[in-house]
Amino acid sequence: MSGFAPVPDADHETVSIASNDDVVRARQLVRTLGQRCKLSLVDQTKLVTAASELARNTLVYGGGGVMRAGLVGRDGRVGVTAVFEDEGPGIPDIDQALTDGWTSGGGLGLGLSGARRLVDDFTLETETGRGTQVAVTKWRR
Protein backbone atom coordinates (compact mmCIF):
# COMPACT_ATOMS: atom_id res chain seq x y z
CA MET A 1 0.00 0.00 0.00
CA SER A 2 1.62 3.22 -1.02
CA GLY A 3 1.22 6.32 1.08
CA PHE A 4 1.53 4.52 4.41
CA ALA A 5 4.62 5.14 6.54
CA PRO A 6 7.15 2.33 7.05
CA VAL A 7 8.58 1.33 10.42
CA PRO A 8 10.45 4.56 11.28
CA ASP A 9 14.26 4.41 11.51
CA ALA A 10 14.30 0.70 12.15
CA ASP A 11 15.80 -2.46 10.87
CA HIS A 12 12.78 -4.66 10.74
CA GLU A 13 11.67 -8.19 10.09
CA THR A 14 8.63 -9.04 8.02
CA VAL A 15 6.11 -11.80 8.68
CA SER A 16 3.54 -12.64 6.01
CA ILE A 17 0.13 -13.17 7.60
CA ALA A 18 -1.85 -15.69 5.59
CA SER A 19 -2.72 -18.37 8.17
CA ASN A 20 -3.21 -18.96 11.89
CA ASP A 21 0.38 -20.24 12.05
CA ASP A 22 1.52 -16.84 10.76
CA VAL A 23 -0.39 -15.13 13.58
CA VAL A 24 1.61 -17.28 16.01
CA ARG A 25 4.87 -16.34 14.22
CA ALA A 26 3.97 -12.64 14.47
CA ARG A 27 3.37 -13.03 18.21
CA GLN A 28 6.69 -14.86 18.65
CA LEU A 29 8.64 -12.19 16.77
CA VAL A 30 7.10 -9.37 18.81
CA ARG A 31 7.85 -11.26 22.06
CA THR A 32 11.48 -11.80 20.97
CA LEU A 33 11.85 -8.11 20.13
CA GLY A 34 10.31 -7.14 23.48
CA GLN A 35 12.85 -9.32 25.25
CA ARG A 36 15.74 -7.87 23.21
CA CYS A 37 14.52 -4.37 24.04
CA LYS A 38 14.30 -5.36 27.72
CA LEU A 39 10.65 -4.47 28.08
CA SER A 40 9.23 -5.54 31.43
CA LEU A 41 7.30 -8.81 31.43
CA VAL A 42 4.06 -6.85 31.85
CA ASP A 43 4.87 -4.60 28.88
CA GLN A 44 5.94 -7.61 26.77
CA THR A 45 2.58 -9.23 27.53
CA LYS A 46 0.67 -6.08 26.62
CA LEU A 47 2.57 -5.72 23.34
CA VAL A 48 2.17 -9.40 22.41
CA THR A 49 -1.55 -9.28 23.20
CA ALA A 50 -2.03 -6.18 21.02
CA ALA A 51 0.03 -7.74 18.22
CA SER A 52 -2.00 -10.93 18.39
CA GLU A 53 -5.27 -9.02 18.03
CA LEU A 54 -3.91 -6.94 15.15
CA ALA A 55 -2.40 -9.94 13.34
CA ARG A 56 -5.71 -11.79 13.64
CA ASN A 57 -7.57 -8.72 12.32
CA THR A 58 -5.13 -8.58 9.39
CA LEU A 59 -5.90 -12.21 8.59
CA VAL A 60 -9.66 -12.30 9.22
CA TYR A 61 -10.82 -8.86 8.11
CA GLY A 62 -8.02 -7.84 5.75
CA GLY A 63 -7.73 -11.19 3.99
CA GLY A 64 -4.08 -11.48 5.03
CA GLY A 65 -1.17 -9.11 4.80
CA VAL A 66 2.14 -8.47 6.50
CA MET A 67 3.58 -7.41 9.83
CA ARG A 68 6.85 -5.51 9.88
CA ALA A 69 8.40 -5.20 13.32
CA GLY A 70 11.64 -3.92 14.76
CA LEU A 71 13.40 -2.05 17.50
CA VAL A 72 13.13 1.73 17.34
CA GLY A 73 14.69 4.67 19.10
CA ARG A 74 13.39 8.19 19.60
CA ASP A 75 14.39 10.97 21.98
CA GLY A 76 16.75 8.68 23.89
CA ARG A 77 14.10 5.99 24.32
CA VAL A 78 14.04 2.49 22.85
CA GLY A 79 11.02 0.42 22.02
CA VAL A 80 9.40 -2.08 19.71
CA THR A 81 7.27 -1.05 16.75
CA ALA A 82 5.01 -3.36 14.76
CA VAL A 83 3.16 -2.31 11.62
CA PHE A 84 0.30 -4.44 10.28
CA GLU A 85 -0.79 -3.91 6.67
CA ASP A 86 -3.43 -5.46 4.48
CA GLU A 87 -5.05 -4.70 1.16
CA GLY A 88 -8.52 -5.68 2.33
CA PRO A 89 -11.78 -3.75 2.28
CA GLY A 90 -10.64 -1.11 4.76
CA ILE A 91 -12.58 0.02 7.81
CA PRO A 92 -15.77 1.87 6.83
CA ASP A 93 -16.41 3.42 10.26
CA ILE A 94 -13.18 4.14 12.15
CA ASP A 95 -14.99 5.79 15.07
CA GLN A 96 -17.10 2.69 15.64
CA ALA A 97 -14.09 0.38 15.23
CA LEU A 98 -12.21 2.36 17.91
CA THR A 99 -15.14 2.42 20.35
CA ASP A 100 -14.40 0.64 23.63
CA GLY A 101 -16.11 -2.71 23.81
CA TRP A 102 -17.02 -2.83 20.13
CA THR A 103 -15.92 -5.90 18.23
CA SER A 104 -17.18 -7.45 15.06
CA GLY A 105 -16.43 -10.85 16.60
CA GLY A 106 -13.92 -13.61 16.02
CA GLY A 107 -10.92 -11.99 17.73
CA LEU A 108 -9.84 -11.84 21.35
CA GLY A 109 -12.67 -9.45 22.04
CA LEU A 110 -10.25 -6.56 22.52
CA GLY A 111 -10.98 -4.88 19.24
CA LEU A 112 -8.84 -2.03 17.99
CA SER A 113 -9.62 0.07 21.07
CA GLY A 114 -8.26 -2.65 23.34
CA ALA A 115 -5.09 -2.97 21.28
CA ARG A 116 -4.72 0.81 21.39
CA ARG A 117 -4.94 0.83 25.21
CA LEU A 118 -2.19 -1.79 25.52
CA VAL A 119 0.50 0.18 23.67
CA ASP A 120 2.10 3.60 23.99
CA ASP A 121 1.73 4.80 20.39
CA PHE A 122 -1.05 3.76 18.01
CA THR A 123 -1.81 4.97 14.50
CA LEU A 124 -4.44 3.71 12.10
CA GLU A 125 -4.76 4.56 8.44
CA THR A 126 -7.43 3.01 6.26
CA GLU A 127 -9.08 3.58 2.95
CA THR A 128 -12.23 1.81 1.85
CA GLY A 129 -11.38 -0.68 -0.85
CA ARG A 130 -7.61 -0.13 -0.44
CA GLY A 131 -6.72 -1.62 2.93
CA THR A 132 -5.60 -0.77 6.42
CA GLN A 133 -2.35 -0.07 8.23
CA VAL A 134 -2.07 -0.10 12.02
CA ALA A 135 1.24 0.81 13.68
CA VAL A 136 1.89 0.27 17.37
CA THR A 137 4.88 1.00 19.60
CA LYS A 138 5.68 0.00 23.16
CA TRP A 139 8.49 1.99 24.81
CA ARG A 140 10.83 0.64 27.46
CA ARG A 141 10.25 2.33 30.81
Side-chain angles (χ1 to χ4, degrees):
M1 291 174 47
S2 62
F4 290 126
V7 175
D9 302 319
D11 290 326
H12 63 272
E13 296 182 51
T14 301
V15 174
S16 292
I17 301 173
S19 71
N20 288 327
D21 288 343
D22 296 331
V23 172
V24 172
R25 277 191 277 286
R27 286 175 55 99
Q28 290 170 334
L29 174 57
V30 167
R31 180 170 306 283
T32 299
L33 291 169
Q35 291 167 343
R36 262 192 232 154
C37 184
K38 298 185 174 98
L39 293 179
S40 71
L41 185 56
V42 169
D43 283 346
Q44 286 178 43
T45 301
K46 288 178 179 181
L47 179 61
V48 169
T49 302
S52 182
E53 180 76 4
L54 296 171
R56 182 145 315 281
N57 285 355
T58 299
L59 177 63
V60 172
Y61 303 112
V66 298
M67 178 193 78
R68 289 175 292 116
L71 302 179
V72 291
R74 185 172 71 207
D75 301 327
R77 300 185 303 167
V78 294
V80 178
T81 292
V83 179
F84 299 83
E85 294 183 13
D86 67 61
E87 294 180 356
I91 301 170
D93 188 340
I94 294 172
D95 291 335
Q96 181 184 40
L98 290 172
T99 299
D100 284 346
W102 188 85
T103 180
S104 56
L108 296 174
L110 294 172
L112 290 171
S113 66
R116 179 173 58 178
R117 278 193 308 278
L118 293 170
V119 298
D120 299 315
D121 296 336
F122 179 97
T123 60
L124 183 149
E125 295 184 42
T126 189
E127 186 177 334
T128 303
R130 302 277 319 256
T132 300
Q133 179 195 63
V134 180
V136 296
T137 303
K138 192 72 177 168
W139 297 103
R140 186 173 70 203
R141 311 238 179 267

